[in-house]
Amino acid sequence: TVNSQATKTQILKSHKKANIKIVPMGVDLAQFNQKNYNRDIKNSMGEENLLLLGVGRLAQKKGFEFLIRAMPLVIQEIPKAQLVIIGFGPQKDQLQKQIRALNLTSSVFLIGGKNGKELRDWFSTADIFIGPSIVTQDGDTEGQGVVFLEAMASGTPVIASDVGGVKDVVQDGFSGLLIPEKNPEAIAEKIVKLAKNNSLREQLVQNALELANSDYSWEHSAEIFFNLYQQAISK
């Protein structure tokens, strides 16, 4: 079994006759949902400000450097935009230097790792979630991207790079917006578009919630695995 069409395609390159079933990694809908909206978080970032969120390891394949590079363009259109990046990893110092070099210290914040209720609160409270993942030189990229499911289940609109298995989950114009990788201009354009188009944002959120509930719940993934196990046993 694999978690996405992209992963299946990669495996078939070396195992052409493999019988592969796609079983996506699901999201715990009892944990990640709209009920986690946290007024204290929103107030701490500015009630009227646009709260942007990125979550992931501070590593090359997550592409946070391109999201940070997009922020001056976003601020030109939306001066009160604030970006919070949650995570830790080897690129922390590099990203901090980039933030200082772009004079973004009052607009972009690396707040370290979060887990449990605190992380779920950030997912639900953010106005837009952005995952600017890339394909690294050695081919590393997102196999699926559970963070996108967590944001979608939390009722937060999603912008994501069109890489790896991401597009299985983030269907462009339906459950989110896709962008080309390593493209700060495209990131900024989609952020501004979502921020200024309430009807689009609401439609994407509604579609994403329905998709998460129908196809990506833990119960749904467990049922697929259970059926596969039963088929294997019967043989």
Side-chain angles (χ1 to χ4, degrees):
T1 65
V2 297
N3 59 4
S4 69
Q5 180 61 51
T7 309
K8 179 177 179 178
T9 299
Q10 288 299 316
I11 291 178
L12 286 173
K13 289 179 180 179
S14 56
H15 298 78
K16 294 181 172 58
K17 295 183 179 180
N19 180 17
I20 301 172
K21 302 296 184 182
I22 298 175
V23 187
M25 297 173 66
V27 60
D28 185 353
L29 299 174
Q31 298 289 326
F32 291 90
N33 53 64
Q34 292 174 292
K35 296 178 182 178
N36 294 317
Y37 184 90
N38 189 311
R39 178 62 61 184
D40 290 338
I41 288 178
K42 183 63 173 173
N43 288 339
S44 72
M45 301 305 300
E47 176 65 30
E48 300 302 319
N49 294 350
L50 178 69
L51 177 53
L52 307 173
L53 179 66
V55 175
R57 190 163 184 265
L58 305 184
Q60 186 184 12
K61 79 171 183 178
K62 296 300 183 180
F64 288 128
E65 62 181 287
F66 301 100
L67 175 54
I68 293 171
R69 282 168 52 186
M71 282 304 291
L73 301 173
V74 174
I75 292 169
Q76 287 178 14
E77 297 290 331
I78 307 171
K80 291 186 176 182
Q82 304 273 300
L83 169 63
V84 170
I85 297 176
I86 294 175
F88 54 86
Q91 282 198 320
K92 178 182 177 181
D93 291 343
Q94 175 185 330
L95 296 176
Q96 289 282 24
K97 290 178 182 177
Q98 182 185 12
I99 290 168
R100 291 193 293 270
L102 293 173
N103 296 315
L104 292 171
T105 54
S106 62
S107 302
V108 179
F109 308 93
L110 306 183
I111 66 171
K114 305 290 179 183
N115 55 34
K117 180 68 165 64
E118 195 169 10
L119 179 60
R120 297 193 295 270
D121 286 359
W122 276 100
F123 268 114
S124 185
T125 306
D127 295 308
I128 300 173
F129 178 84
I130 307 103
S133 309
I134 68 168
V135 181
T136 65
Q137 286 186 332
D138 61 3
D140 191 17
T141 192
E142 301 283 2
Q144 179 184 333
V146 174
V147 289
F148 300 108
L149 286 174
E150 292 170 343
M152 289 162 57
S154 300
T156 300
V158 169
I159 297 171
S161 296
D162 187 2
V163 298
V166 173
K167 61 187 173 185
D168 282 16
V169 175
V170 184
Q171 300 170 19
D172 190 36
F174 178 76
S175 58
L177 298 179
L178 290 177
I179 50 172
E181 64 168 331
K182 304 177 183 179
N183 194 323
E185 293 78 16
I187 295 172
E189 178 190 353
K190 297 300 184 183
I191 289 173
V192 172
K193 180 178 181 178
L194 266 186
K196 295 186 174 182
N197 191 331
N198 289 336
S199 61
L200 173 61
R201 192 164 64 248
E202 291 170 2
Q203 188 60 59
L204 293 178
V205 166
Q206 185 59 41
N207 292 341
L209 284 169
E210 292 175 3
L211 187 63
N213 278 273
S214 63
D215 292 0
Y216 292 100
S217 69
W218 274 4
E219 290 80 7
H220 183 69
S221 294
E223 182 180 0
I224 298 174
F225 271 120
F226 181 76
N227 290 334
L228 287 174
Y229 291 146
Q230 284 195 316
Q231 291 172 24
I233 291 170
S234 69
K235 293 179 181 179

